Amino acid sequence: MPSTLRRPELRSAAGWLACEDVAAQERFLSELTEGELLALPFLFEFWALAHQLPPEGAWKTWVILGGRGAGKTRAGSEWVRAMVEGAGPLDTGIARRVALVGETMDQAREVMIFGESGILACSPPDRRPKWHGARKMLEWPNGAVAQVFSAFDPESLRGPQFDACWVDELAKWPKARETWDMVQFGLRLGEHPRQVVTTTPRNVAVLKEILALDSTVVTKAATEANAANLAASFLSEVRARYGTSALGRQELDGEILEDVEGALWSRQVLERARVDMPGALSRVVVAVDPPVSTGAKADTCGIVVVGAMTEGPVQDWRAVVLEDASVQGCSPVWWAEAAIAAMARWEADLMVAEVNQGGDLVQSVVRQVDPLVAFKAVHARVGKSARAEPVAALYEQGRVAHMSGLDKLEDQMCLMTVAGFQGQGSPDRVDALVWGLHEVVLEASKAWRRPAVRAL
C-alpha cells in the first residue's frame, strides 16, 4: 500500500486524489498491486469524510449528528465492519457480538443491513456476513454475529449481551429512554465495549443527556458535506425550500434546536407560521429597539419589519413578520440608517421605536437621517415578558406568519419565558418584534373596538 494512505493527516485520501491532475491519479493507481486495487473500494479510511471516522481516545459512545444524506448510515456500517473484521476474512476482530438497534425491525433491516449504505453493501465479498432472517441476525465468516432489535420492543434487549452496538436514528425512537437503558445494561462484553449513535438531531431529552456525558464524543456534518454522493437537484430543492428555517437547520444542518421550559414560543408554533409570500397588506411598520451602548461592542439594535392585513372584522386580522434587519456594534446614526433603509425596502408607513433609554435622542438621531420619516415613540410600562405574552397569544391563534430568514429572531423568541429571557444579553430582536405586532394588531384593534364619540 502506498505510504500516502498510511499518513494520519490524510484522513480522506480520496478527496486529496480527486484534487490532483489526471497524471497524478494514474501514477497513484499504477503503484497499487492487483490486490490493493480490488481492496480499494472497501477501504473506508480512503473514501471517508472527516465526520465519518471515529475520533481518537477511550470514548464509550460516539454520536454522529448530521443532516439528511450526510453519510451517517455509511459511517455506522463501516464502524461495525471495523469492529468485527480481523486482518484476514477468518480472523477475529475487536467485537464478536454486536447489537443493531433501529426504530422498527423493518427499518433496521432495510436501512442498516440491506440499504445502499448498509452493512451488506459495504462489505467485500470474502467478508460479507450472511443474513439469517428467522433469527434476525447477521453472521460473519469469522464467527462474529450481529442481532437486530426494534426500539418499539425494549424488553427484547433483556438477556442478550454485547461488546459493540450501533444505534440508528435514536432521536425519533418511540421508546427512546427505555430502549437506550436496555442497551446500556447489555453492553458488557469485552475489555472496552463501545457504541455508535447515528441520528438526525431532535430536541430529545435522552439524546441531550448522552451528549453531556464525559464518555461521549461527537462528530457533526450538514447535508452538503456529502454533496458528491447526492443529487444536485435534491440539494438545491431542499435548501431553497427549507433554507435556514428551524426544520432546515435540524434536518439539513444537523442542529439540535431546543425549547426552553415555559417559553412563550415553541419551534412547533413557529414552523406552523412559515409562509413563502406575505400576501396583501394594509400597512407595514418598522419596529426598533435601540441599544443603550455604542461602538464595536455595542448591543444589537433590534430592527424588525412587520406587515398586517387589517380589513374586515378584527378577529380576521392577520400579521406577517417580513424581515429581521437588526444590526450590531454600530453608532446611533448607523442603526437609524439601517431602519430607514428597511422602511424604504418594504414601503413602510411608520417607524415605531422604544425610547425608555434614549428619550428624545432616539427620535433626533432618526430625524438626522430622514427629517420627514413617520415616527412614533413608545414607552415600556410593563416588563418584557408581560409585554410579549399577548403577542405570543396571536401566534397560538395562528394570526402571525413568518417569512424566511428569521432564524436569529426565532432563536431569541424560543428563549423568552414567562419568567424572563433565558438567553445571553438582551432580547433586542424580540423586543422590536413585540413593538411591531403591538402596533399593527393589538393597538389597532383597540382603536377599532373603541366606540365612536357621538356629537351632542
Side-chain angles (χ1 to χ4, degrees), residues 80-286:
V80 171
R81 277 192 57 208
M83 293 296 289
V84 302
E85 292 180 6
L90 301 180
D91 295 330
T92 58
I94 300 171
R96 298 284 293 169
R97 299 188 65 85
V98 181
L100 305 176
V101 190
E103 181 182 9
T104 67
M105 194 64 69
D106 286 345
Q107 289 186 8
R109 184 179 60 248
E110 298 305 318
V111 175
M112 302 171 77
I113 297 172
F114 289 97
E116 290 186 2
S117 299
I119 293 172
L120 292 179
C122 296
S123 300
D126 61 342
R127 299 162 189 254
R128 185 168 294 133
K130 182 179 180 181
W131 170 245
H132 301 285
R135 301 175 63 187
K136 302 172 185 175
M137 184 181 74
L138 280 174
E139 184 176 13
W140 276 264
N142 65 3
V145 296
Q147 294 175 260
V148 179
F149 299 91
S150 164
F152 272 91
D153 185 18
E155 292 300 306
S156 65
L157 283 153
R158 288 186 179 272
Q161 52 186 350
F162 316 98
D163 46 17
C165 176
W166 173 21
V167 163
D168 189 47
E169 295 297 354
L170 168 71
K172 69 187 191 79
W173 284 1
K175 299 179 180 179
R177 184 174 299 281
E178 298 95 320
T179 307
W180 178 259
D181 288 343
M182 291 300 102
V183 169
Q184 304 316 297
F185 288 128
L187 197 62
R188 56 180 185 258
L189 296 180
E191 294 183 4
H192 186 51
R194 288 181 163 186
Q195 56 201 343
V196 63
V197 178
T198 54
T199 188
T200 300
R202 283 183 177 179
N203 186 23
V204 177
V206 65
L207 176 59
K208 292 190 291 184
E209 291 171 10
I210 295 167
L211 294 174
L213 294 173
D214 292 337
S215 58
T216 297
V217 294
V218 183
T219 58
K220 301 178 181 180
T223 297
E224 282 85 353
N226 196 32
N229 297 307
L230 301 173
S233 59
F234 163 77
L235 287 173
S236 60
E237 177 69 20
V238 293
R239 272 303 174 193
R241 184 174 181 83
Y242 301 106
T244 57
S245 68
L247 187 62
R249 291 167 66 191
Q250 174 180 283
E251 300 294 324
L252 300 177
D253 295 326
E255 294 184 34
I256 296 181
L257 304 178
E258 300 187 39
D259 287 332
V260 174
E261 185 176 355
L264 296 178
W265 289 274
S266 69
R267 297 286 178 185
Q268 184 178 15
V269 166
L270 295 179
E271 280 304 312
R272 289 203 306 264
R274 195 87 50 210
V275 294
D276 295 324
M277 298 294 293
L281 299 172
S282 304
R283 62 182 308 209
V284 176
V285 165
V286 172

